[in-house]
Amino acid sequence: MSSIRSHIIASGSYLPERILTNKELEQMVDTTDEWIYQRSGIKQRHIASENETTVSMAVEAARKAIRNAGVSPQDIDGVIVATTTPDNTFPSVAVSVQAALDIPVGIAFDVQAVCTGFVYALSVADNFIKGGQLKRVLVIGAEKMSSVVDWEDRATCVLFADGAGAVLLEAREDSDGGILSTHLYADGRMKELLYTNGGVSTTGQSGKIVMQGREVFKNAVTLMADAVTAALEKNNMQPEQIDWLVPHQANSRIIEATARKLNLPMEQVVLTVDHHGNTSAASIPLAFDEAMQAGKIKPNQYVLFEALGGGLTWGSALVKI
Ligand code: ACO
């Protein structure tokens, strides 16, 4: 078995300047700050300007991750972007990031697993590294969800938001740290629970989000708990050995339910949904970077990522920093 492990050596993130508060949403649709906060835990979210795109946000997040790592773009050989909202149908967001940052010829492509995208991308990058094909890979989650939100649908427009987060993975030999395991799942029979009502080969446009929120909620709690259990079992670990849970930031009630199942106090859960909203594939790396820059997550700590999104897709990744 390969002794190569993928280590997260740095992170970075980017949020648009414009903040949209629940109070402002009260002027746009029939809702209240109280309803939004009670049901989702969201107070405010960042929304991209017309000039900000998934690529531009991804580039800024990646630039910071590279700077924080103290490496040169020349030393990076892979770029994997998790996104549902690319600037163009093709080429990928990843190649645009590669070009913008002067990253030399290597592997660059996008991964589409909606809100689970970052966990999927991390797993794909990890396998490239463990297989010896790549040495330093940027894994980015970037979304302009505001472009696929139906701003007249109060059930969804209050939830989604924009932003980007990035981590830089590095191959290290004979290490006991880094990415310890990833578990990915999908069940297409539940695709009707969350989708866009259009696409390139149907309507010729991206379409807008349609969601059966209550059904997604019910599945989210059990499926994410399953993914977390799989990670713990694979690594022979007990829940109390986890230092930080960094969950997909869809809804604080889902996050609290998962933490309860793990017996993890909320002080060990990175919670950003209150000020970031649901940024889909960007939410985990955004939350991770916030906790890293605040000095909360420290070397040698065990961090558990978990997510669920449209598809349905879900998964987890356990990392020793
Ligand atoms: N303001 C006021 N009332 C509202 C709003 C709103 N913004 N939105 C819906 N309502 C109403 C509904 O019309 C409904 O009214 P009714 O009882 O008269 O029919 C009532 O509130 C309850 O609606 P529910 O949808 O049942 O509310 P629920 O408690 O389930 O909360 C929520 C909704 C927040 C969407 C929740 O179900 C949820 O978070 N679901 C999971 C979302 C998620 O995790 N998505 C996955 C990731 S996203 C991705 O992959 C892209």
Side-chain angles (χ1 to χ4, degrees):
M1 224 180 84
S2 152
S3 59
I4 304 174
R5 284 269 179 81
S6 317
H7 278 253
I8 297 180
I9 59 165
S11 62
S13 62
Y14 176 83
L15 287 161
E17 204 176 307
R18 162 102 169 95
I19 290 173
L20 179 65
T21 63
N22 290 353
K23 280 279 165 211
E24 285 173 88
L25 279 163
E26 286 180 0
Q27 312 300 313
M28 296 162 64
V29 286
D30 181 15
T31 191
T32 60
D33 171 34
E34 195 189 5
W35 190 97
I36 302 169
Y37 186 65
Q38 274 184 1
R39 303 287 174 128
S40 70
I42 300 170
K43 275 276 172 205
Q44 61 174 54
R45 72 287 287 142
H46 292 253
I47 299 292
S49 68
E50 256 177 53
N51 300 330
E52 283 169 314
T53 69
T54 299
V55 167
S56 73
M57 293 187 284
V59 167
E60 288 313 314
R63 204 190 296 281
K64 287 186 200 160
I66 293 171
R67 200 170 52 217
N68 290 340
V71 301
S72 156
Q74 295 298 315
D75 299 327
I76 294 170
D77 50 8
V79 183
I80 304 179
V81 178
T83 188
T84 304
T85 49
D87 288 25
N88 300 84
T89 301
F90 70 84
S92 64
V93 173
V95 295
S96 297
V97 172
Q98 183 191 26
L101 296 177
D102 279 328
I103 293 170
V105 172
I107 289 175
F109 59 93
D110 293 355
V111 166
Q112 216 288 44
V114 206
C115 296
T116 319
F118 181 75
V119 177
Y120 266 67
L122 201 66
S123 179
V124 171
D126 181 40
N127 280 304
F128 270 109
I129 288 176
K130 284 194 299 203
Q133 267 178 285
L134 295 175
K135 296 240 172 321
R136 269 201 202 101
V137 186
L138 265 174
V139 181
I140 305 168
E143 301 280 17
K144 189 169 175 176
M145 294 304 281
S146 59
S147 62
V148 289
V149 161
D150 174 355
W151 287 101
E152 288 176 3
D153 176 14
R154 67 176 183 171
T156 51
C157 77
V158 302
L159 304 174
F160 293 97
D162 304 331
V167 297
L168 189 58
L169 296 185
E170 185 176 84
R172 292 205 182 149
E173 295 208 40
D174 300 321
S175 143
D176 70 341
I179 298 177
L180 304 180
S181 68
T182 60
H183 287 83
L184 305 181
Y185 308 91
D187 186 346
R189 289 170 299 183
M190 290 188 275
K191 66 188 169 63
E192 305 300 334
L193 298 184
L194 184 52
Y195 60 95
T196 61
N197 58 7
V200 181
S201 74
T202 51
T203 60
Q205 283 164 357
S206 63
K208 301 294 179 195
I209 297 172
V210 182
M211 181 168 81
Q212 293 183 40
R214 194 170 288 182
E215 287 307 309
V216 175
F217 192 109
K218 274 195 278 183
N219 282 291
V221 177
T222 33
L223 296 176
M224 284 203 282
D226 289 351
V228 161
T229 304
L232 292 173
E233 281 178 2
K234 170 88 183 164
N235 295 286
N236 286 320
M237 284 177 67
Q238 299 302 315
E240 50 274 18
Q241 290 174 270
I242 301 299
D243 294 294
W244 293 100
L245 178 67
V246 185
H248 168 49
Q249 308 283 323
N251 182 311
S252 59
R253 287 185 297 150
I254 299 177
I255 295 171
E256 280 157 15
T258 313
R260 259 197 308 276
K261 285 202 174 204
L262 270 172
N263 254 332
L264 208 64
M266 285 307 285
E267 291 71 44
Q268 281 169 257
V269 179
V270 179
L271 198 69
T272 54
V273 69
D274 57 329
H275 54 291
H276 290 173
N278 181 348
T279 58
S280 191
S283 93
I284 290 179
L286 268 167
F288 177 74
D289 186 52
E290 192 179 282
M292 285 292 284
Q293 302 317 326
K296 288 183 180 173
I297 298 176
K298 299 190 172 67
N300 293 316
Q301 287 191 325
Y302 290 99
V303 177
L304 185 55
F305 299 120
E306 46 110 342
L308 176 131
L312 292 181
T313 55
W314 66 101
S316 63
L318 185 61
V319 184
K320 188 176 176 192
I321 301 298

